[in-house]
PDB file of all heavy atoms in Angstrom:
ATOM      1  N   ALA A  14      -4.239 -26.808  -6.025  1.00  0.00           N
ATOM      2  CA  ALA A  14      -4.046 -26.051  -4.807  1.00  0.00           C
ATOM      3  C   ALA A  14      -5.101 -26.337  -3.720  1.00  0.00           C
ATOM      4  O   ALA A  14      -6.259 -26.737  -4.046  1.00  0.00           O
ATOM      5  CB  ALA A  14      -4.129 -24.574  -5.019  1.00  0.00           C
ATOM      6  N   ASP A  15      -4.666 -26.349  -2.513  1.00  0.00           N
ATOM      7  CA  ASP A  15      -5.542 -26.606  -1.399  1.00  0.00           C
ATOM      8  C   ASP A  15      -6.310 -25.369  -0.952  1.00  0.00           C
ATOM      9  O   ASP A  15      -5.996 -24.757   0.021  1.00  0.00           O
ATOM     10  CB  ASP A  15      -4.770 -27.169  -0.205  1.00  0.00           C
ATOM     11  CG  ASP A  15      -5.632 -27.471   1.018  1.00  0.00           C
ATOM     12  OD1 ASP A  15      -6.854 -27.740   0.753  1.00  0.00           O
ATOM     13  OD2 ASP A  15      -5.116 -27.627   2.149  1.00  0.00           O
ATOM     14  N   GLY A  16      -7.355 -25.019  -1.769  1.00  0.00           N
ATOM     15  CA  GLY A  16      -8.135 -23.891  -1.401  1.00  0.00           C
ATOM     16  C   GLY A  16      -7.768 -22.571  -2.062  1.00  0.00           C
ATOM     17  O   GLY A  16      -6.617 -22.463  -2.650  1.00  0.00           O
ATOM     18  N   VAL A  17      -8.625 -21.576  -1.974  1.00  0.00           N
ATOM     19  CA  VAL A  17      -8.388 -20.287  -2.622  1.00  0.00           C
ATOM     20  C   VAL A  17      -7.187 -19.576  -2.038  1.00  0.00           C
ATOM     21  O   VAL A  17      -6.412 -18.924  -2.735  1.00  0.00           O
ATOM     22  CB  VAL A  17      -9.602 -19.426  -2.548  1.00  0.00           C
ATOM     23  CG1 VAL A  17      -9.406 -17.964  -3.040  1.00  0.00           C
ATOM     24  CG2 VAL A  17     -10.769 -20.007  -3.326  1.00  0.00           C
ATOM     25  N   ARG A  18      -7.003 -19.666  -0.728  1.00  0.00           N
ATOM     26  CA  ARG A  18      -5.928 -19.049  -0.034  1.00  0.00           C
ATOM     27  C   ARG A  18      -4.572 -19.466  -0.645  1.00  0.00           C
ATOM     28  O   ARG A  18      -3.652 -18.674  -0.864  1.00  0.00           O
ATOM     29  CB  ARG A  18      -5.948 -19.280   1.466  1.00  0.00           C
ATOM     30  CG  ARG A  18      -4.927 -18.506   2.241  1.00  0.00           C
ATOM     31  CD  ARG A  18      -5.014 -18.883   3.725  1.00  0.00           C
ATOM     32  NE  ARG A  18      -6.275 -18.469   4.257  1.00  0.00           N
ATOM     33  CZ  ARG A  18      -6.515 -17.274   4.836  1.00  0.00           C
ATOM     34  NH1 ARG A  18      -5.546 -16.406   4.848  1.00  0.00           N
ATOM     35  NH2 ARG A  18      -7.719 -16.985   5.354  1.00  0.00           N
ATOM     36  N   THR A  19      -4.430 -20.801  -0.827  1.00  0.00           N
ATOM     37  CA  THR A  19      -3.222 -21.297  -1.368  1.00  0.00           C
ATOM     38  C   THR A  19      -3.017 -20.899  -2.807  1.00  0.00           C
ATOM     39  O   THR A  19      -1.832 -20.541  -3.204  1.00  0.00           O
ATOM     40  CB  THR A  19      -3.233 -22.868  -1.312  1.00  0.00           C
ATOM     41  OG1 THR A  19      -3.444 -23.279  -0.019  1.00  0.00           O
ATOM     42  CG2 THR A  19      -1.898 -23.505  -1.810  1.00  0.00           C
ATOM     43  N   MET A  20      -4.098 -20.790  -3.536  1.00  0.00           N
ATOM     44  CA  MET A  20      -3.943 -20.337  -4.973  1.00  0.00           C
ATOM     45  C   MET A  20      -3.505 -18.838  -4.965  1.00  0.00           C
ATOM     46  O   MET A  20      -2.588 -18.495  -5.792  1.00  0.00           O
ATOM     47  CB  MET A  20      -5.367 -20.325  -5.630  1.00  0.00           C
ATOM     48  CG  MET A  20      -5.885 -21.683  -5.908  1.00  0.00           C
ATOM     49  SD  MET A  20      -7.479 -21.781  -6.698  1.00  0.00           S
ATOM     50  CE  MET A  20      -7.107 -21.138  -8.301  1.00  0.00           C
ATOM     51  N   ARG A  21      -4.005 -17.997  -4.151  1.00  0.00           N
ATOM     52  CA  ARG A  21      -3.614 -16.598  -4.000  1.00  0.00           C
ATOM     53  C   ARG A  21      -2.232 -16.456  -3.613  1.00  0.00           C
ATOM     54  O   ARG A  21      -1.410 -15.669  -4.274  1.00  0.00           O
ATOM     55  CB  ARG A  21      -4.485 -15.793  -3.090  1.00  0.00           C
ATOM     56  CG  ARG A  21      -5.941 -15.619  -3.619  1.00  0.00           C
ATOM     57  CD  ARG A  21      -6.746 -14.917  -2.592  1.00  0.00           C
ATOM     58  NE  ARG A  21      -8.094 -14.508  -3.155  1.00  0.00           N
ATOM     59  CZ  ARG A  21      -9.085 -14.178  -2.440  1.00  0.00           C
ATOM     60  NH1 ARG A  21      -8.994 -14.058  -1.066  1.00  0.00           N
ATOM     61  NH2 ARG A  21     -10.242 -13.875  -2.972  1.00  0.00           N
ATOM     62  N   ALA A  22      -1.743 -17.277  -2.699  1.00  0.00           N
ATOM     63  CA  ALA A  22      -0.420 -17.239  -2.266  1.00  0.00           C
ATOM     64  C   ALA A  22       0.595 -17.580  -3.377  1.00  0.00           C
ATOM     65  O   ALA A  22       1.639 -16.951  -3.562  1.00  0.00           O
ATOM     66  CB  ALA A  22      -0.154 -18.060  -0.988  1.00  0.00           C
ATOM     67  N   THR A  23       0.296 -18.604  -4.112  1.00  0.00           N
ATOM     68  CA  THR A  23       1.068 -19.124  -5.202  1.00  0.00           C
ATOM     69  C   THR A  23       1.205 -18.021  -6.347  1.00  0.00           C
ATOM     70  O   THR A  23       2.218 -17.741  -6.827  1.00  0.00           O
ATOM     71  CB  THR A  23       0.380 -20.355  -5.812  1.00  0.00           C
ATOM     72  OG1 THR A  23       0.351 -21.424  -4.853  1.00  0.00           O
ATOM     73  CG2 THR A  23       1.326 -20.851  -7.026  1.00  0.00           C
ATOM     74  N   LEU A  24       0.009 -17.439  -6.633  1.00  0.00           N
ATOM     75  CA  LEU A  24      -0.011 -16.313  -7.661  1.00  0.00           C
ATOM     76  C   LEU A  24       0.816 -15.158  -7.199  1.00  0.00           C
ATOM     77  O   LEU A  24       1.547 -14.581  -7.994  1.00  0.00           O
ATOM     78  CB  LEU A  24      -1.412 -15.956  -7.951  1.00  0.00           C
ATOM     79  CG  LEU A  24      -2.200 -16.890  -8.836  1.00  0.00           C
ATOM     80  CD1 LEU A  24      -3.711 -16.574  -8.786  1.00  0.00           C
ATOM     81  CD2 LEU A  24      -1.792 -16.775 -10.274  1.00  0.00           C
ATOM     82  N   GLN A  25       0.637 -14.660  -5.930  1.00  0.00           N
ATOM     83  CA  GLN A  25       1.340 -13.605  -5.344  1.00  0.00           C
ATOM     84  C   GLN A  25       2.876 -13.788  -5.463  1.00  0.00           C
ATOM     85  O   GLN A  25       3.630 -12.918  -5.908  1.00  0.00           O
ATOM     86  CB  GLN A  25       0.894 -13.307  -3.960  1.00  0.00           C
ATOM     87  CG  GLN A  25       1.663 -12.260  -3.248  1.00  0.00           C
ATOM     88  CD  GLN A  25       1.320 -10.803  -3.729  1.00  0.00           C
ATOM     89  OE1 GLN A  25       0.341 -10.655  -4.461  1.00  0.00           O
ATOM     90  NE2 GLN A  25       2.025  -9.802  -3.256  1.00  0.00           N
ATOM     91  N   GLU A  26       3.250 -14.974  -4.949  1.00  0.00           N
ATOM     92  CA  GLU A  26       4.739 -15.236  -4.999  1.00  0.00           C
ATOM     93  C   GLU A  26       5.298 -15.249  -6.393  1.00  0.00           C
ATOM     94  O   GLU A  26       6.350 -14.704  -6.624  1.00  0.00           O
ATOM     95  CB  GLU A  26       4.934 -16.590  -4.235  1.00  0.00           C
ATOM     96  CG  GLU A  26       6.408 -16.936  -4.151  1.00  0.00           C
ATOM     97  CD  GLU A  26       6.593 -18.277  -3.358  1.00  0.00           C
ATOM     98  OE1 GLU A  26       5.705 -18.626  -2.712  1.00  0.00           O
ATOM     99  OE2 GLU A  26       7.727 -18.909  -3.497  1.00  0.00           O
ATOM    100  N   ALA A  27       4.592 -15.863  -7.289  1.00  0.00           N
ATOM    101  CA  ALA A  27       5.079 -16.011  -8.681  1.00  0.00           C
ATOM    102  C   ALA A  27       4.988 -14.612  -9.369  1.00  0.00           C
ATOM    103  O   ALA A  27       5.962 -14.298 -10.169  1.00  0.00           O
ATOM    104  CB  ALA A  27       4.253 -17.019  -9.432  1.00  0.00           C
ATOM    105  N   TRP A  28       3.995 -13.833  -9.074  1.00  0.00           N
ATOM    106  CA  TRP A  28       3.889 -12.502  -9.734  1.00  0.00           C
ATOM    107  C   TRP A  28       5.015 -11.608  -9.359  1.00  0.00           C
ATOM    108  O   TRP A  28       5.629 -10.972 -10.192  1.00  0.00           O
ATOM    109  CB  TRP A  28       2.521 -11.964  -9.296  1.00  0.00           C
ATOM    110  CG  TRP A  28       2.256 -10.574  -9.802  1.00  0.00           C
ATOM    111  CD1 TRP A  28       2.313 -10.145 -11.169  1.00  0.00           C
ATOM    112  CD2 TRP A  28       1.870  -9.450  -9.046  1.00  0.00           C
ATOM    113  NE1 TRP A  28       1.933  -8.771 -11.184  1.00  0.00           N
ATOM    114  CE2 TRP A  28       1.658  -8.334  -9.931  1.00  0.00           C
ATOM    115  CE3 TRP A  28       1.558  -9.229  -7.720  1.00  0.00           C
ATOM    116  CZ2 TRP A  28       1.264  -7.086  -9.537  1.00  0.00           C
ATOM    117  CZ3 TRP A  28       1.166  -8.047  -7.249  1.00  0.00           C
ATOM    118  CH2 TRP A  28       0.985  -6.923  -8.221  1.00  0.00           C
ATOM    119  N   VAL A  29       5.334 -11.625  -8.026  1.00  0.00           N
ATOM    120  CA  VAL A  29       6.464 -10.793  -7.515  1.00  0.00           C
ATOM    121  C   VAL A  29       7.787 -11.231  -8.140  1.00  0.00           C
ATOM    122  O   VAL A  29       8.565 -10.387  -8.565  1.00  0.00           O
ATOM    123  CB  VAL A  29       6.510 -10.824  -6.033  1.00  0.00           C
ATOM    124  CG1 VAL A  29       7.720 -10.132  -5.512  1.00  0.00           C
ATOM    125  CG2 VAL A  29       5.287 -10.076  -5.410  1.00  0.00           C
ATOM    126  N   ALA A  30       7.959 -12.526  -8.159  1.00  0.00           N
ATOM    127  CA  ALA A  30       9.199 -13.081  -8.744  1.00  0.00           C
ATOM    128  C   ALA A  30       9.344 -12.673 -10.217  1.00  0.00           C
ATOM    129  O   ALA A  30      10.456 -12.435 -10.665  1.00  0.00           O
ATOM    130  CB  ALA A  30       9.234 -14.587  -8.609  1.00  0.00           C
ATOM    131  N   GLU A  31       8.209 -12.705 -10.956  1.00  0.00           N
ATOM    132  CA  GLU A  31       8.180 -12.406 -12.347  1.00  0.00           C
ATOM    133  C   GLU A  31       8.634 -10.853 -12.565  1.00  0.00           C
ATOM    134  O   GLU A  31       9.401 -10.614 -13.504  1.00  0.00           O
ATOM    135  CB  GLU A  31       6.833 -12.619 -12.950  1.00  0.00           C
ATOM    136  CG  GLU A  31       6.697 -12.376 -14.427  1.00  0.00           C
ATOM    137  CD  GLU A  31       6.976 -13.681 -15.217  1.00  0.00           C
ATOM    138  OE1 GLU A  31       7.467 -14.670 -14.701  1.00  0.00           O
ATOM    139  OE2 GLU A  31       6.681 -13.655 -16.485  1.00  0.00           O
ATOM    140  N   ILE A  32       8.056 -10.037 -11.811  1.00  0.00           N
ATOM    141  CA  ILE A  32       8.420  -8.643 -11.929  1.00  0.00           C
ATOM    142  C   ILE A  32       9.894  -8.457 -11.578  1.00  0.00           C
ATOM    143  O   ILE A  32      10.593  -7.710 -12.267  1.00  0.00           O
ATOM    144  CB  ILE A  32       7.549  -7.771 -10.921  1.00  0.00           C
ATOM    145  CG1 ILE A  32       6.082  -7.837 -11.329  1.00  0.00           C
ATOM    146  CG2 ILE A  32       8.037  -6.307 -10.941  1.00  0.00           C
ATOM    147  CD1 ILE A  32       5.121  -7.188 -10.290  1.00  0.00           C
TER     148      ILE A  32
END
Side-chain angles (χ1 to χ4, degrees):
D15 181 21
V17 174
R18 185 183 296 272
T19 304
M20 293 179 70
R21 286 177 174 167
T23 300
L24 282 166
Q25 174 74 8
E26 183 178 341
W28 178 53
V29 171
E31 184 91 349
I32 297 171

